[in-house]
Amino acid sequence: MELVIRPVRSLKGTVAVPGDKSISHRALMLGAIATGETVVENFLEGEDCLATLACFRSMGVEITGPEAGRVVIRGCGLYGLSEPEDVLDAKNSGTTMRLLLGILAGQPFFSVLTGDSSLRRRPMGRVVRPLREMGARISGRGGGELAPLAVTGGELKPLAFTSPVASAQVKSAVLLAGLYAQGTTSVTEPALSRDHTERMLEYFGARVTRDGLTVAVDGNPVLKGAAIRVPGDISSAAFLMVAACIVPEAALTIKGVGLNPTRTGIIEVLREMGARMEITPAGEAGGEPYGDITVYSSELRGVEIGGALIPRLIDEIPVITVAAACACGKTVIRNAAELKVKESDRLKTMAAGLSCLGVPVEELPDGLIIYGGKRLSGAVVESYGDHRVAMALAVAGLTADGETVIKEADVVNVSFPDFVETLQRLSVE
Ligand code: S3P
């Protein structure tokens, strides 16, 4: 599908964004290996989470829904999964593949995991290496660096793992494998990445301890099925937040968005850029804070972004580059080499997309320099099969002269299936 975006006069209204992708995946995974029933509300019915759901059904887990955002999982306990008859397909989802590897490492059966062409290019060695150290037998292309990966799991040894990257997927894979080890498994990361796994493990009854950048979990816990209401995904809200900033006379309220501090880097950066914004915390659900975000049209200015902030806004960088293009002055993004191994090489793909729209941009080995303030001009741009690149460029198109055409835009279904309808509903023509 090609998406055609024309400039809008304004954006106004109140909206809810779909459920958080990271939390939806984890609710399925922990629900499957807990005992008793887990009822998930506001589950994200995007392709990534549906891939996780299909994988667990293939391992014999009874799951009903999703129906109107509700999923019911009949947990089969830590050791109740059954050997899948066929290859498990994680499709485009790094979270499915990496977290599932952690769980499969502890299973006394054989399984094979694959994904689409983008996922089969992404690095898996970062997860495979610690899982092998714990005792799992994993083989795959490039010595286990790339999917398809074949896993023969079983009882594992605990590990004190120091991760070279600040990655929640790596951390989560090791912690999930740690559930199948006798003793305590810990992960130390160079900067704090999203902590949804450790929050949800605690919520399901596991013993989790934290000390600075180290988090540890005890093996063999009693995980009890739970009720989870998934907050709105701040990574989806980010597209609307930036859109409201750059469109004239806009006022948007996004209700019920997850406000976990490991995810709110986007709020800090937009504030520093001069965004007019109000955050109204509403409470906590399932161990995750949430609230409402209101954003108004703003005069943005360029900023410098790097260091420990990067993992707290890693998925928002594509749309932050659009805010930067519309800001006055230069924005420098550093320490973001991880973007090269996302659904696309987001340093390259965003630089290419912005250049097509007339934005001066320089690619660095670990970031981007964006020279903002010049009026954007509509053009035909590629999504490169990356949902966040497609949506970021669509947001840019809202303020560009003429038409912006995003090719292969159906990829938005990966994380924000009603993105286009939501924009249409909020647009003032
Ligand atoms: C995710 C972690 C991040 C993020 C991804 C979702 C998760 O990846 O980019 O979209 O749910 O754990 P990394 O852990 O590879 O940084």
Side-chain angles (χ1 to χ4, degrees):
M1 175 207 46
E2 271 186 5
L3 173 59
V4 181
I5 299 280
R6 296 185 185 86
V8 289
R9 266 207 298 133
S10 187
L11 287 169
K12 288 205 193 294
T14 298
V15 69
V17 286
D20 188 275
K21 181 156 76 70
S22 294
I23 297 174
S24 296
H25 281 297
R26 287 159 173 80
L28 288 173
M29 294 184 185
L30 293 194
I33 58 170
T35 52
E37 216 173 67
T38 289
V39 180
V40 189
E41 305 277 359
N42 201 33
F43 173 81
L44 170 61
E45 293 181 39
E47 285 169 2
D48 270 21
C49 299
L50 295 175
T52 295
L53 192 149
C55 289
F56 280 96
R57 275 198 181 131
S58 312
M59 290 187 283
V61 184
E62 219 183 284
I63 305 174
T64 45
E67 222 186 280
R70 185 182 156 95
V71 176
V72 180
I73 306 144
R74 179 119 350 125
C76 57
L78 274 179
Y79 298 98
L81 299 175
S82 51
E83 185 172 87
E85 275 177 28
D86 203 348
V87 172
L88 299 169
D89 189 355
K91 306 219 163 143
N92 191 240
S93 173
T95 307
T96 307
M97 182 166 288
R98 296 203 179 101
L99 272 60
L100 205 49
L101 278 170
I103 293 176
L104 293 174
Q107 307 305 320
F109 56 65
F110 174 78
S111 54
V112 181
L113 255 174
T114 193
D116 70 5
S117 59
S118 150
L119 189 55
R120 292 195 311 272
R121 282 194 294 270
R122 297 179 65 188
M124 294 299 147
R126 50 176 64 190
V127 172
V128 167
R129 277 185 292 276
L131 296 178
R132 280 181 179 155
E133 265 191 74
M134 295 177 81
R137 280 178 292 148
I138 305 177
S139 44
R141 289 191 301 137
E145 191 54 47
L146 298 171
L149 293 160
V151 187
T152 309
E155 200 180 312
L156 302 175
K157 299 189 288 277
L159 180 68
F161 181 60
T162 301
S163 175
V165 280
S167 158
Q169 293 178 358
V170 172
K171 173 173 62 177
S172 303
V174 174
L175 292 176
L176 290 170
L179 302 176
Y180 296 90
Q182 293 292 341
T184 304
T185 293
S186 68
V187 181
T188 304
E189 40 183 358
L192 191 61
S193 65
R194 65 191 66 191
D195 65 357
H196 305 299
T197 301
E198 38 275 50
R199 282 177 187 250
M200 201 181 288
L201 278 170
E202 262 184 326
Y203 186 68
F204 274 73
R207 203 176 90 87
V208 174
T209 51
R210 296 176 174 82
D211 180 12
L213 295 172
T214 300
V215 58
V217 69
D218 285 359
N220 254 311
V222 179
L223 297 178
K224 276 239 175 72
I228 294 182
R229 184 167 177 86
V230 181
D233 198 328
I234 192 166
S235 297
S236 299
F239 297 105
L240 304 178
M241 290 161 72
V242 170
C245 285
I246 64 176
V247 159
E249 290 166 41
L252 282 190
T253 296
I254 313 159
K255 303 282 279 181
V257 183
L259 294 175
N260 179 317
T262 60
R263 297 283 301 280
T264 48
I266 176 75
I267 295 176
E268 284 158 44
V269 162
L270 286 179
R271 279 229 163 98
E272 205 189 325
M273 294 180 87
R276 292 188 300 138
M277 210 166 15
E278 286 152 21
I279 313 293
T280 315
E284 241 187 63
E288 293 280 352
Y290 68 96
D292 303 339
I293 301 177
T294 300
V295 189
Y296 306 95
S297 306
S298 308
E299 298 272 314
L300 299 180
R301 50 183 180 267
V303 284
E304 295 201 356
I305 307 171
L309 185 59
I310 295 293
R312 297 180 52 233
L313 46 64
I314 189 74
D315 290 343
E316 289 65 76
I317 292 178
V319 79
I320 288 173
T321 67
V322 173
C326 300
C328 189
K330 181 169 99 169
T331 291
V332 183
I333 302 170
R334 304 297 305 246
N335 313 124
E338 272 297 297
L339 290 184
K340 290 174 171 290
V341 292
K342 294 295 176 189
E343 288 83 329
S344 69
D345 175 345
R346 288 180 175 161
L347 296 179
K348 267 210 166 52
T349 52
M350 281 312 299
L354 291 176
S355 298
C356 287
L357 300 178
V359 180
V361 42
E362 267 173 55
E363 203 186 317
L364 305 170
D366 67 342
L368 290 169
I369 304 180
I370 302 123
Y371 298 89
K374 199 168 152 235
R375 182 128 187 109
L376 273 54
S377 47
V380 178
V381 292
E382 305 278 340
S383 74
Y384 299 94
D386 184 327
H387 55 130
R388 301 204 198 279
V389 171
M391 291 186 277
L393 294 173
V395 170
L398 297 174
T399 57
D401 285 330
E403 264 182 17
T404 299
V405 179
I406 296 120
K407 292 171 74 174
E408 218 193 318
D410 22 359
V411 283
V412 303
N413 291 329
V414 161
S415 64
F416 197 162
D418 48 5
F419 173 73
V420 176
E421 295 71 23
T422 304
L423 271 189
Q424 274 164 352
R425 200 152 53 72
L426 298 170
S427 294
V428 180
E429 302 288 337

